[in-house]
Amino acid sequence: MPSFDRRSLRQRASDDPIARYLGELQAEVMGIFWERDDATVREVVEELNKRRRKRRRDEFAYTTVLTLVSRLWARDLLAREPEGRGFRYHAAKTRDELLGELSDELIDRLLDDFGEIAVARLGERLDGLDPKRAAKLKRARTKR
């Protein structure tokens, strides 16, 4: 069956669910904000480039990182406060909060688009799960 997913193969293959949704670079930038309380664009550039040097990759320009941060801010994933001539940014939600919102959005879209067919197919998939994975999902459900 053909895939209707418009994401690149690389994006779909990522182990990180945030990277599968945002893309690798935006996920890496969000990771920096989740690791730190806050940062300026210049501080994010320095952190990204420090990581790049370790992997012997090309460094990012300030304008590239500014574009990434601006897009994350426009999506309400970052909040900002004026600082000097620029801004200091911080994550607007935790990683778990973002994953929860993305999950809710996907489930709502699935139900809106496919209704009872989606529920029936999901039930079939859950019934066919490996017992270890089913137990893990059940534990995750009770944590909420």
Side-chain angles (χ1 to χ4, degrees):
M1 182 170 149
S3 173
F4 296 102
D5 194 338
R6 292 183 178 177
R7 298 172 299 172
S8 70
L9 285 174
R10 183 176 178 178
Q11 193 170 344
R12 282 184 277 167
S14 176
D15 291 337
D16 179 8
I18 300 292
R20 286 195 299 265
Y21 179 75
L22 296 178
E24 266 184 60
L25 287 178
Q26 287 187 13
E28 189 172 357
V29 169
M30 284 304 300
I32 290 170
F33 285 105
W34 286 320
E35 291 167 11
R36 303 170 64 131
D37 288 335
D38 54 41
T40 63
V41 172
R42 176 73 53 211
E43 292 166 348
V44 174
V45 170
E46 290 169 3
E47 180 63 29
L48 283 171
N49 287 336
K50 184 171 80 175
R51 294 176 185 189
R52 292 281 181 250
R53 282 190 289 275
K54 287 180 183 176
R55 291 182 265 172
R56 298 176 190 234
R57 291 188 173 171
D58 292 335
E59 294 188 354
F60 287 106
Y62 178 89
T63 53
T64 301
V65 178
L66 177 61
T67 299
L68 292 167
V69 168
S70 296
R71 288 178 180 170
L72 292 167
W73 175 77
R75 293 170 92 172
D76 293 327
L77 298 176
L78 294 175
R80 69 184 187 187
E81 315 265 331
E83 181 175 290
R85 292 176 40 202
F87 295 97
R88 180 161 289 278
Y89 294 85
H90 64 272
K93 49 195 80 171
T94 67
R95 180 179 170 82
D96 286 345
E97 288 170 337
L98 178 56
L99 285 171
E101 286 181 16
L102 294 173
S103 298
D104 287 342
E105 181 183 311
L106 184 60
I107 291 166
D108 289 345
R109 211 169 56 231
L110 183 67
L111 294 174
D112 288 346
D113 291 350
F114 301 101
E116 56 278 346
I117 292 172
V119 173
R121 295 295 293 252
L122 184 57
E124 290 171 14
R125 293 282 179 91
L126 291 172
D127 291 342
L129 279 180
D130 170 288
K132 286 183 182 178
R133 185 153 188 219
K136 183 178 178 184
L137 290 173
K138 192 171 189 172
R139 283 192 304 277
R141 183 175 170 220
T142 58
K143 282 183 185 178
R144 268 189 92 192

